[in-house]
Every structure is written in C-alpha cells, then in structure tokens.
PDB file of all heavy atoms in Angstrom:
ATOM      1  N   ARG A 210      80.058 137.435 105.273  1.00 97.00           N
ATOM      2  CA  ARG A 210      80.354 136.420 104.252  1.00 97.00           C
ATOM      3  C   ARG A 210      79.537 135.169 104.530  1.00 97.00           C
ATOM      4  O   ARG A 210      79.577 134.619 105.627  1.00 97.00           O
ATOM      5  CB  ARG A 210      81.853 136.097 104.291  1.00 97.00           C
ATOM      6  CG  ARG A 210      82.312 134.992 103.362  1.00 97.00           C
ATOM      7  CD  ARG A 210      83.837 134.889 103.405  1.00 97.00           C
ATOM      8  NE  ARG A 210      84.337 134.756 104.778  1.00 97.00           N
ATOM      9  CZ  ARG A 210      84.526 133.580 105.386  1.00 97.00           C
ATOM     10  NH1 ARG A 210      84.266 132.444 104.754  1.00 97.00           N
ATOM     11  NH2 ARG A 210      84.999 133.550 106.618  1.00 97.00           N
ATOM     12  N   VAL A 211      78.765 134.737 103.531  1.00 98.00           N
ATOM     13  CA  VAL A 211      77.984 133.506 103.686  1.00 98.00           C
ATOM     14  C   VAL A 211      78.939 132.320 103.670  1.00 98.00           C
ATOM     15  O   VAL A 211      79.691 132.125 102.712  1.00 98.00           O
ATOM     16  CB  VAL A 211      76.928 133.371 102.570  1.00 98.00           C
ATOM     17  CG1 VAL A 211      76.212 132.018 102.675  1.00 98.00           C
ATOM     18  CG2 VAL A 211      75.907 134.501 102.656  1.00 98.00           C
ATOM     19  N   VAL A 212      78.923 131.536 104.748  1.00 97.00           N
ATOM     20  CA  VAL A 212      79.829 130.388 104.855  1.00 97.00           C
ATOM     21  C   VAL A 212      79.084 129.066 104.736  1.00 97.00           C
ATOM     22  O   VAL A 212      79.721 128.008 104.669  1.00 97.00           O
ATOM     23  CB  VAL A 212      80.621 130.430 106.171  1.00 97.00           C
ATOM     24  CG1 VAL A 212      81.516 131.658 106.220  1.00 97.00           C
ATOM     25  CG2 VAL A 212      79.695 130.383 107.393  1.00 97.00           C
ATOM     26  N   GLY A 213      77.763 129.112 104.689  1.00 97.00           N
ATOM     27  CA  GLY A 213      77.014 127.876 104.539  1.00 97.00           C
ATOM     28  C   GLY A 213      75.554 128.158 104.236  1.00 97.00           C
ATOM     29  O   GLY A 213      74.972 129.105 104.780  1.00 97.00           O
ATOM     30  N   VAL A 214      74.989 127.376 103.344  1.00 98.00           N
ATOM     31  CA  VAL A 214      73.555 127.424 103.064  1.00 98.00           C
ATOM     32  C   VAL A 214      73.038 125.990 103.142  1.00 98.00           C
ATOM     33  O   VAL A 214      73.496 125.118 102.400  1.00 98.00           O
ATOM     34  CB  VAL A 214      73.247 128.017 101.676  1.00 98.00           C
ATOM     35  CG1 VAL A 214      71.744 127.951 101.398  1.00 98.00           C
ATOM     36  CG2 VAL A 214      73.745 129.452 101.573  1.00 98.00           C
ATOM     37  N   MET A 215      72.116 125.760 104.080  1.00 98.00           N
ATOM     38  CA  MET A 215      71.520 124.436 104.252  1.00 98.00           C
ATOM     39  C   MET A 215      70.081 124.490 103.760  1.00 98.00           C
ATOM     40  O   MET A 215      69.243 125.177 104.337  1.00 98.00           O
ATOM     41  CB  MET A 215      71.561 124.017 105.728  1.00 98.00           C
ATOM     42  CG  MET A 215      70.839 122.714 106.024  1.00 98.00           C
ATOM     43  SD  MET A 215      70.759 122.356 107.816  1.00 98.00           S
ATOM     44  CE  MET A 215      72.464 121.862 108.118  1.00 98.00           C
ATOM     45  N   CYS A 216      69.801 123.793 102.661  1.00 97.00           N
ATOM     46  CA  CYS A 216      68.454 123.750 102.097  1.00 97.00           C
ATOM     47  C   CYS A 216      67.695 122.551 102.649  1.00 97.00           C
ATOM     48  O   CYS A 216      68.218 121.429 102.659  1.00 97.00           O
ATOM     49  CB  CYS A 216      68.511 123.670 100.577  1.00 97.00           C
ATOM     50  SG  CYS A 216      69.152 125.161  99.794  1.00 97.00           S
ATOM     51  N   LEU A 217      66.464 122.802 103.093  1.00 97.00           N
ATOM     52  CA  LEU A 217      65.632 121.746 103.663  1.00 97.00           C
ATOM     53  C   LEU A 217      64.580 121.327 102.644  1.00 97.00           C
ATOM     54  O   LEU A 217      63.857 122.181 102.110  1.00 97.00           O
ATOM     55  CB  LEU A 217      64.920 122.231 104.934  1.00 97.00           C
ATOM     56  CG  LEU A 217      65.713 122.301 106.239  1.00 97.00           C
ATOM     57  CD1 LEU A 217      66.943 123.182 106.115  1.00 97.00           C
ATOM     58  CD2 LEU A 217      64.820 122.780 107.371  1.00 97.00           C
ATOM     59  N   GLU A 218      64.524 120.043 102.366  1.00 95.00           N
ATOM     60  CA  GLU A 218      63.474 119.518 101.488  1.00 95.00           C
ATOM     61  C   GLU A 218      62.332 119.018 102.366  1.00 95.00           C
ATOM     62  O   GLU A 218      62.499 118.074 103.136  1.00 95.00           O
ATOM     63  CB  GLU A 218      64.009 118.378 100.614  1.00 95.00           C
ATOM     64  CG  GLU A 218      62.963 117.822  99.668  1.00 95.00           C
ATOM     65  CD  GLU A 218      63.478 116.655  98.840  1.00 95.00           C
ATOM     66  OE1 GLU A 218      64.707 116.449  98.779  1.00 95.00           O
ATOM     67  OE2 GLU A 218      62.633 115.931  98.258  1.00 95.00           O
ATOM     68  N   VAL A 219      61.181 119.666 102.247  1.00 94.00           N
ATOM     69  CA  VAL A 219      60.048 119.381 103.124  1.00 94.00           C
ATOM     70  C   VAL A 219      58.977 118.597 102.376  1.00 94.00           C
ATOM     71  O   VAL A 219      58.588 118.967 101.259  1.00 94.00           O
ATOM     72  CB  VAL A 219      59.453 120.692 103.676  1.00 94.00           C
ATOM     73  CG1 VAL A 219      58.263 120.405 104.583  1.00 94.00           C
ATOM     74  CG2 VAL A 219      60.514 121.481 104.434  1.00 94.00           C
ATOM     75  N   THR A 220      58.512 117.519 102.974  1.00 90.00           N
ATOM     76  CA  THR A 220      57.424 116.724 102.417  1.00 90.00           C
ATOM     77  C   THR A 220      56.284 116.690 103.430  1.00 90.00           C
ATOM     78  O   THR A 220      56.397 117.223 104.541  1.00 90.00           O
ATOM     79  CB  THR A 220      57.876 115.279 102.129  1.00 90.00           C
ATOM     80  OG1 THR A 220      58.065 114.593 103.380  1.00 90.00           O
ATOM     81  CG2 THR A 220      59.173 115.257 101.337  1.00 90.00           C
ATOM     82  N   GLY A 221      55.188 116.058 103.052  1.00 88.00           N
ATOM     83  CA  GLY A 221      54.056 115.940 103.964  1.00 88.00           C
ATOM     84  C   GLY A 221      54.372 115.136 105.201  1.00 88.00           C
ATOM     85  O   GLY A 221      53.692 115.252 106.230  1.00 88.00           O
ATOM     86  N   GLU A 222      55.418 114.299 105.138  1.00 91.00           N
ATOM     87  CA  GLU A 222      55.776 113.445 106.273  1.00 91.00           C
ATOM     88  C   GLU A 222      56.843 114.059 107.163  1.00 91.00           C
ATOM     89  O   GLU A 222      57.129 113.554 108.240  1.00 91.00           O
ATOM     90  CB  GLU A 222      56.281 112.080 105.774  1.00 91.00           C
ATOM     91  CG  GLU A 222      55.211 111.185 105.154  1.00 91.00           C
ATOM     92  CD  GLU A 222      54.779 111.680 103.790  1.00 91.00           C
ATOM     93  OE1 GLU A 222      55.662 112.026 102.976  1.00 91.00           O
ATOM     94  OE2 GLU A 222      53.554 111.778 103.563  1.00 91.00           O
ATOM     95  N   GLY A 223      57.460 115.152 106.715  1.00 94.00           N
ATOM     96  CA  GLY A 223      58.512 115.771 107.508  1.00 94.00           C
ATOM     97  C   GLY A 223      59.650 116.247 106.616  1.00 94.00           C
ATOM     98  O   GLY A 223      59.520 116.306 105.382  1.00 94.00           O
ATOM     99  N   ILE A 224      60.767 116.578 107.227  1.00 96.00           N
ATOM    100  CA  ILE A 224      61.940 117.020 106.459  1.00 96.00           C
ATOM    101  C   ILE A 224      62.645 115.785 105.917  1.00 96.00           C
ATOM    102  O   ILE A 224      63.075 114.914 106.671  1.00 96.00           O
ATOM    103  CB  ILE A 224      62.894 117.845 107.331  1.00 96.00           C
ATOM    104  CG1 ILE A 224      62.169 119.048 107.935  1.00 96.00           C
ATOM    105  CG2 ILE A 224      64.086 118.322 106.501  1.00 96.00           C
ATOM    106  CD1 ILE A 224      62.993 119.826 108.943  1.00 96.00           C
ATOM    107  N   ALA A 225      62.752 115.721 104.585  1.00 95.00           N
ATOM    108  CA  ALA A 225      63.280 114.519 103.942  1.00 95.00           C
ATOM    109  C   ALA A 225      64.751 114.628 103.590  1.00 95.00           C
ATOM    110  O   ALA A 225      65.417 113.604 103.414  1.00 95.00           O
ATOM    111  CB  ALA A 225      62.479 114.198 102.679  1.00 95.00           C
ATOM    112  N   ALA A 226      65.257 115.845 103.470  1.00 96.00           N
ATOM    113  CA  ALA A 226      66.661 115.991 103.061  1.00 96.00           C
ATOM    114  C   ALA A 226      67.219 117.329 103.510  1.00 96.00           C
ATOM    115  O   ALA A 226      66.507 118.339 103.554  1.00 96.00           O
ATOM    116  CB  ALA A 226      66.794 115.858 101.545  1.00 96.00           C
ATOM    117  N   PHE A 227      68.500 117.293 103.852  1.00 97.00           N
ATOM    118  CA  PHE A 227      69.284 118.492 104.123  1.00 97.00           C
ATOM    119  C   PHE A 227      70.425 118.495 103.116  1.00 97.00           C
ATOM    120  O   PHE A 227      71.202 117.544 103.054  1.00 97.00           O
ATOM    121  CB  PHE A 227      69.857 118.474 105.546  1.00 97.00           C
ATOM    122  CG  PHE A 227      68.815 118.437 106.624  1.00 97.00           C
ATOM    123  CD1 PHE A 227      68.283 117.230 107.054  1.00 97.00           C
ATOM    124  CD2 PHE A 227      68.361 119.605 107.214  1.00 97.00           C
ATOM    125  CE1 PHE A 227      67.327 117.187 108.041  1.00 97.00           C
ATOM    126  CE2 PHE A 227      67.403 119.577 108.215  1.00 97.00           C
ATOM    127  CZ  PHE A 227      66.880 118.364 108.631  1.00 97.00           C
ATOM    128  N   ARG A 228      70.507 119.554 102.327  1.00 96.00           N
ATOM    129  CA  ARG A 228      71.593 119.675 101.359  1.00 96.00           C
ATOM    130  C   ARG A 228      72.398 120.904 101.748  1.00 96.00           C
ATOM    131  O   ARG A 228      71.913 122.025 101.678  1.00 96.00           O
ATOM    132  CB  ARG A 228      71.035 119.758  99.937  1.00 96.00           C
ATOM    133  CG  ARG A 228      70.309 118.475  99.523  1.00 96.00           C
ATOM    134  CD  ARG A 228      69.788 118.525  98.094  1.00 96.00           C
ATOM    135  NE  ARG A 228      69.175 117.245  97.720  1.00 96.00           N
ATOM    136  CZ  ARG A 228      67.892 116.941  97.910  1.00 96.00           C
ATOM    137  NH1 ARG A 228      67.084 117.847  98.449  1.00 96.00           N
ATOM    138  NH2 ARG A 228      67.424 115.766  97.564  1.00 96.00           N
ATOM    139  N   ASN A 229      73.632 120.662 102.164  1.00 97.00           N
ATOM    140  CA  ASN A 229      74.445 121.692 102.801  1.00 97.00           C
ATOM    141  C   ASN A 229      75.573 122.146 101.880  1.00 97.00           C
ATOM    142  O   ASN A 229      76.485 121.371 101.589  1.00 97.00           O
ATOM    143  CB  ASN A 229      75.054 121.150 104.102  1.00 97.00           C
ATOM    144  CG  ASN A 229      74.046 120.363 104.925  1.00 97.00           C
ATOM    145  OD1 ASN A 229      72.946 120.834 105.160  1.00 97.00           O
ATOM    146  ND2 ASN A 229      74.428 119.164 105.352  1.00 97.00           N
ATOM    147  N   GLN A 230      75.498 123.381 101.427  1.00 97.00           N
ATOM    148  CA  GLN A 230      76.540 123.923 100.553  1.00 97.00           C
ATOM    149  C   GLN A 230      77.509 124.757 101.399  1.00 97.00           C
ATOM    150  O   GLN A 230      77.139 125.788 101.953  1.00 97.00           O
ATOM    151  CB  GLN A 230      75.919 124.793  99.465  1.00 97.00           C
ATOM    152  CG  GLN A 230      76.904 125.299  98.438  1.00 97.00           C
ATOM    153  CD  GLN A 230      77.704 124.189  97.777  1.00 97.00           C
ATOM    154  OE1 GLN A 230      78.847 123.924  98.170  1.00 97.00           O
ATOM    155  NE2 GLN A 230      77.097 123.524  96.800  1.00 97.00           N
ATOM    156  N   VAL A 231      78.745 124.268 101.501  1.00 96.00           N
ATOM    157  CA  VAL A 231      79.762 124.989 102.272  1.00 96.00           C
ATOM    158  C   VAL A 231      81.016 125.266 101.448  1.00 96.00           C
ATOM    159  O   VAL A 231      81.978 125.838 101.957  1.00 96.00           O
ATOM    160  CB  VAL A 231      80.141 124.228 103.575  1.00 96.00           C
ATOM    161  CG1 VAL A 231      78.977 124.228 104.544  1.00 96.00           C
ATOM    162  CG2 VAL A 231      80.588 122.793 103.281  1.00 96.00           C
ATOM    163  N   ASN A 232      81.003 124.870 100.185  1.00 96.00           N
ATOM    164  CA  ASN A 232      82.123 125.165  99.294  1.00 96.00           C
ATOM    165  C   ASN A 232      82.154 126.679  99.047  1.00 96.00           C
ATOM    166  O   ASN A 232      81.222 127.235  98.453  1.00 96.00           O
ATOM    167  CB  ASN A 232      81.943 124.417  97.972  1.00 96.00           C
ATOM    168  CG  ASN A 232      83.102 124.630  97.009  1.00 96.00           C
ATOM    169  OD1 ASN A 232      83.924 125.526  97.187  1.00 96.00           O
ATOM    170  ND2 ASN A 232      83.165 123.814  95.979  1.00 96.00           N
ATOM    171  N   PRO A 233      83.197 127.376  99.484  1.00 96.00           N
ATOM    172  CA  PRO A 233      83.212 128.848  99.360  1.00 96.00           C
ATOM    173  C   PRO A 233      83.100 129.332  97.918  1.00 96.00           C
ATOM    174  O   PRO A 233      82.586 130.428  97.672  1.00 96.00           O
ATOM    175  CB  PRO A 233      84.543 129.249  99.992  1.00 96.00           C
ATOM    176  CG  PRO A 233      85.374 127.999 100.024  1.00 96.00           C
ATOM    177  CD  PRO A 233      84.420 126.871 100.153  1.00 96.00           C
ATOM    178  N   ASP A 234      83.563 128.538  96.970  1.00 95.00           N
ATOM    179  CA  ASP A 234      83.475 128.929  95.562  1.00 95.00           C
ATOM    180  C   ASP A 234      82.018 129.041  95.105  1.00 95.00           C
ATOM    181  O   ASP A 234      81.728 129.744  94.131  1.00 95.00           O
ATOM    182  CB  ASP A 234      84.205 127.926  94.675  1.00 95.00           C
ATOM    183  CG  ASP A 234      85.703 127.932  94.899  1.00 95.00           C
ATOM    184  OD1 ASP A 234      86.203 128.899  95.515  1.00 95.00           O
ATOM    185  OD2 ASP A 234      86.376 126.976  94.478  1.00 95.00           O
ATOM    186  N   LYS A 235      81.121 128.311  95.767  1.00 97.00           N
ATOM    187  CA  LYS A 235      79.711 128.287  95.373  1.00 97.00           C
ATOM    188  C   LYS A 235      78.847 129.185  96.251  1.00 97.00           C
ATOM    189  O   LYS A 235      77.615 129.109  96.186  1.00 97.00           O
ATOM    190  CB  LYS A 235      79.180 126.853  95.409  1.00 97.00           C
ATOM    191  CG  LYS A 235      79.872 125.912  94.441  1.00 97.00           C
ATOM    192  CD  LYS A 235      79.233 124.540  94.486  1.00 97.00           C
ATOM    193  CE  LYS A 235      79.939 123.558  93.560  1.00 97.00           C
ATOM    194  NZ  LYS A 235      79.277 122.234  93.559  1.00 97.00           N
ATOM    195  N   LEU A 236      79.473 130.013  97.061  1.00 98.00           N
ATOM    196  CA  LEU A 236      78.716 130.877  97.966  1.00 98.00           C
ATOM    197  C   LEU A 236      78.977 132.369  97.711  1.00 98.00           C
ATOM    198  O   LEU A 236      78.467 133.215  98.447  1.00 98.00           O
ATOM    199  CB  LEU A 236      79.050 130.529  99.423  1.00 98.00           C
ATOM    200  CG  LEU A 236      78.610 129.127  99.856  1.00 98.00           C
ATOM    201  CD1 LEU A 236      79.153 128.805 101.235  1.00 98.00           C
ATOM    202  CD2 LEU A 236      77.093 128.999  99.841  1.00 98.00           C
ATOM    203  N   GLU A 237      79.736 132.676  96.682  1.00 97.00           N
ATOM    204  CA  GLU A 237      80.054 134.078  96.410  1.00 97.00           C
ATOM    205  C   GLU A 237      78.808 134.876  96.022  1.00 97.00           C
ATOM    206  O   GLU A 237      78.601 136.001  96.484  1.00 97.00           O
ATOM    207  CB  GLU A 237      81.111 134.170  95.306  1.00 97.00           C
ATOM    208  CG  GLU A 237      82.479 133.647  95.728  1.00 97.00           C
ATOM    209  CD  GLU A 237      83.500 133.710  94.617  1.00 97.00           C
ATOM    210  OE1 GLU A 237      83.146 134.201  93.518  1.00 97.00           O
ATOM    211  OE2 GLU A 237      84.648 133.277  94.830  1.00 97.00           O
ATOM    212  N   ARG A 238      77.969 134.298  95.174  1.00 97.00           N
ATOM    213  CA  ARG A 238      76.750 135.014  94.764  1.00 97.00           C
ATOM    214  C   ARG A 238      75.784 135.137  95.938  1.00 97.00           C
ATOM    215  O   ARG A 238      75.113 136.173  96.077  1.00 97.00           O
ATOM    216  CB  ARG A 238      76.087 134.297  93.586  1.00 97.00           C
ATOM    217  CG  ARG A 238      74.973 135.118  92.945  1.00 97.00           C
ATOM    218  CD  ARG A 238      74.384 134.420  91.731  1.00 97.00           C
ATOM    219  NE  ARG A 238      73.289 135.164  91.147  1.00 97.00           N
ATOM    220  CZ  ARG A 238      73.396 135.997  90.123  1.00 97.00           C
ATOM    221  NH1 ARG A 238      74.568 136.207  89.562  1.00 97.00           N
ATOM    222  NH2 ARG A 238      72.318 136.620  89.644  1.00 97.00           N
ATOM    223  N   ALA A 239      75.715 134.104  96.778  1.00 97.00           N
ATOM    224  CA  ALA A 239      74.864 134.180  97.962  1.00 97.00           C
ATOM    225  C   ALA A 239      75.325 135.310  98.879  1.00 97.00           C
ATOM    226  O   ALA A 239      74.502 136.028  99.468  1.00 97.00           O
ATOM    227  CB  ALA A 239      74.870 132.848  98.711  1.00 97.00           C
ATOM    228  N   THR A 240      76.632 135.481  98.995  1.00 97.00           N
ATOM    229  CA  THR A 240      77.171 136.575  99.810  1.00 97.00           C
ATOM    230  C   THR A 240      76.768 137.929  99.229  1.00 97.00           C
ATOM    231  O   THR A 240      76.370 138.847  99.964  1.00 97.00           O
ATOM    232  CB  THR A 240      78.702 136.477  99.899  1.00 97.00           C
ATOM    233  OG1 THR A 240      79.049 135.280 100.618  1.00 97.00           O
ATOM    234  CG2 THR A 240      79.296 137.674 100.619  1.00 97.00           C
ATOM    235  N   GLU A 241      76.833 138.066  97.915  1.00 96.00           N
ATOM    236  CA  GLU A 241      76.429 139.318  97.263  1.00 96.00           C
ATOM    237  C   GLU A 241      74.948 139.591  97.504  1.00 96.00           C
ATOM    238  O   GLU A 241      74.550 140.729  97.788  1.00 96.00           O
ATOM    239  CB  GLU A 241      76.708 139.241  95.763  1.00 96.00           C
ATOM    240  CG  GLU A 241      78.189 139.201  95.404  1.00 96.00           C
ATOM    241  CD  GLU A 241      78.413 138.969  93.924  1.00 96.00           C
ATOM    242  OE1 GLU A 241      77.412 138.918  93.173  1.00 96.00           O
ATOM    243  OE2 GLU A 241      79.584 138.822  93.511  1.00 96.00           O
ATOM    244  N   ARG A 242      74.134 138.557  97.380  1.00 96.00           N
ATOM    245  CA  ARG A 242      72.692 138.717  97.583  1.00 96.00           C
ATOM    246  C   ARG A 242      72.386 139.053  99.038  1.00 96.00           C
ATOM    247  O   ARG A 242      71.527 139.895  99.331  1.00 96.00           O
ATOM    248  CB  ARG A 242      71.964 137.428  97.169  1.00 96.00           C
ATOM    249  CG  ARG A 242      70.459 137.467  97.365  1.00 96.00           C
ATOM    250  CD  ARG A 242      69.815 138.533  96.511  1.00 96.00           C
ATOM    251  NE  ARG A 242      68.465 138.839  96.975  1.00 96.00           N
ATOM    252  CZ  ARG A 242      67.814 139.954  96.706  1.00 96.00           C
ATOM    253  NH1 ARG A 242      68.367 140.876  95.959  1.00 96.00           N
ATOM    254  NH2 ARG A 242      66.608 140.154  97.172  1.00 96.00           N
ATOM    255  N   PHE A 243      73.094 138.413  99.962  1.00 96.00           N
ATOM    256  CA  PHE A 243      72.894 138.672 101.382  1.00 96.00           C
ATOM    257  C   PHE A 243      73.195 140.135 101.697  1.00 96.00           C
ATOM    258  O   PHE A 243      72.446 140.797 102.420  1.00 96.00           O
ATOM    259  CB  PHE A 243      73.799 137.762 102.211  1.00 96.00           C
ATOM    260  CG  PHE A 243      73.714 137.996 103.698  1.00 96.00           C
ATOM    261  CD1 PHE A 243      72.726 137.393 104.449  1.00 96.00           C
ATOM    262  CD2 PHE A 243      74.624 138.832 104.337  1.00 96.00           C
ATOM    263  CE1 PHE A 243      72.634 137.624 105.818  1.00 96.00           C
ATOM    264  CE2 PHE A 243      74.551 139.061 105.698  1.00 96.00           C
ATOM    265  CZ  PHE A 243      73.549 138.454 106.446  1.00 96.00           C
ATOM    266  N   ALA A 244      74.277 140.651 101.131  1.00 95.00           N
ATOM    267  CA  ALA A 244      74.671 142.037 101.390  1.00 95.00           C
ATOM    268  C   ALA A 244      73.638 143.016 100.852  1.00 95.00           C
ATOM    269  O   ALA A 244      73.426 144.092 101.435  1.00 95.00           O
ATOM    270  CB  ALA A 244      76.037 142.315 100.777  1.00 95.00           C
ATOM    271  N   ALA A 245      72.982 142.649  99.749  1.00 94.00           N
ATOM    272  CA  ALA A 245      72.037 143.559  99.102  1.00 94.00           C
ATOM    273  C   ALA A 245      70.633 143.476  99.693  1.00 94.00           C
ATOM    274  O   ALA A 245      69.801 144.355  99.446  1.00 94.00           O
ATOM    275  CB  ALA A 245      71.966 143.257  97.600  1.00 94.00           C
ATOM    276  N   ALA A 246      70.360 142.432 100.472  1.00 93.00           N
ATOM    277  CA  ALA A 246      69.013 142.186 100.966  1.00 93.00           C
ATOM    278  C   ALA A 246      68.815 142.738 102.377  1.00 93.00           C
ATOM    279  O   ALA A 246      69.776 142.957 103.116  1.00 93.00           O
ATOM    280  CB  ALA A 246      68.726 140.682 100.956  1.00 93.00           C
ATOM    281  N   ASP A 247      67.559 142.936 102.729  1.00 90.00           N
ATOM    282  CA  ASP A 247      67.210 143.286 104.102  1.00 90.00           C
ATOM    283  C   ASP A 247      67.102 141.970 104.873  1.00 90.00           C
ATOM    284  O   ASP A 247      66.048 141.338 104.895  1.00 90.00           O
ATOM    285  CB  ASP A 247      65.886 144.045 104.127  1.00 90.00           C
ATOM    286  CG  ASP A 247      65.447 144.396 105.547  1.00 90.00           C
ATOM    287  OD1 ASP A 247      66.272 144.252 106.470  1.00 90.00           O
ATOM    288  OD2 ASP A 247      64.277 144.793 105.722  1.00 90.00           O
ATOM    289  N   HIS A 248      68.194 141.558 105.502  1.00 86.00           N
ATOM    290  CA  HIS A 248      68.227 140.226 106.121  1.00 86.00           C
ATOM    291  C   HIS A 248      67.806 140.221 107.583  1.00 86.00           C
ATOM    292  O   HIS A 248      67.703 139.160 108.195  1.00 86.00           O
ATOM    293  CB  HIS A 248      69.633 139.606 105.983  1.00 86.00           C
ATOM    294  CG  HIS A 248      70.742 140.554 106.283  1.00 86.00           C
ATOM    295  ND1 HIS A 248      71.011 141.000 107.541  1.00 86.00           N
ATOM    296  CD2 HIS A 248      71.636 141.163 105.453  1.00 86.00           C
ATOM    297  CE1 HIS A 248      72.056 141.830 107.501  1.00 86.00           C
ATOM    298  NE2 HIS A 248      72.447 141.948 106.240  1.00 86.00           N
TER     299      HIS A 248
END
C-alpha cells in the first residue's frame, strides 16, 4: 500500500520544492499503479 508520495521540483539551482502527499484518500490510484508496475 502506497502511504506517501514525495514529488521533488528540480531547478537549475537545486531542489526547490518537496510536495508530500500522505492523505490515504489520494493514494489509492497510486497503490493500484504500484501493484501493476515492475517496481
């Protein structure tokens, strides 16, 4: 079960932002995709 997805926003100067999705309601599709993928 996917419990967190942290997206990194990368710029020429470095990592500018971390956006962390941990709301379980918004991770159900990610869990389905994870199960179907060669991870």
Side-chain angles (χ1 to χ4, degrees):
R210 176 174 53 91
V211 175
V212 297
V214 176
M215 174 186 286
C216 292
L217 282 57
E218 181 182 345
V219 179
T220 71
E222 290 73 46
I224 303 173
F227 299 86
R228 296 182 177 89
N229 316 311
Q230 185 55 262
V231 292
N232 182 346
D234 293 345
K235 298 183 182 183
L236 295 172
E237 292 178 2
R238 191 177 178 96
T240 294
E241 292 174 4
R242 179 63 197 159
F243 177 84
D247 178 12
H248 44 71

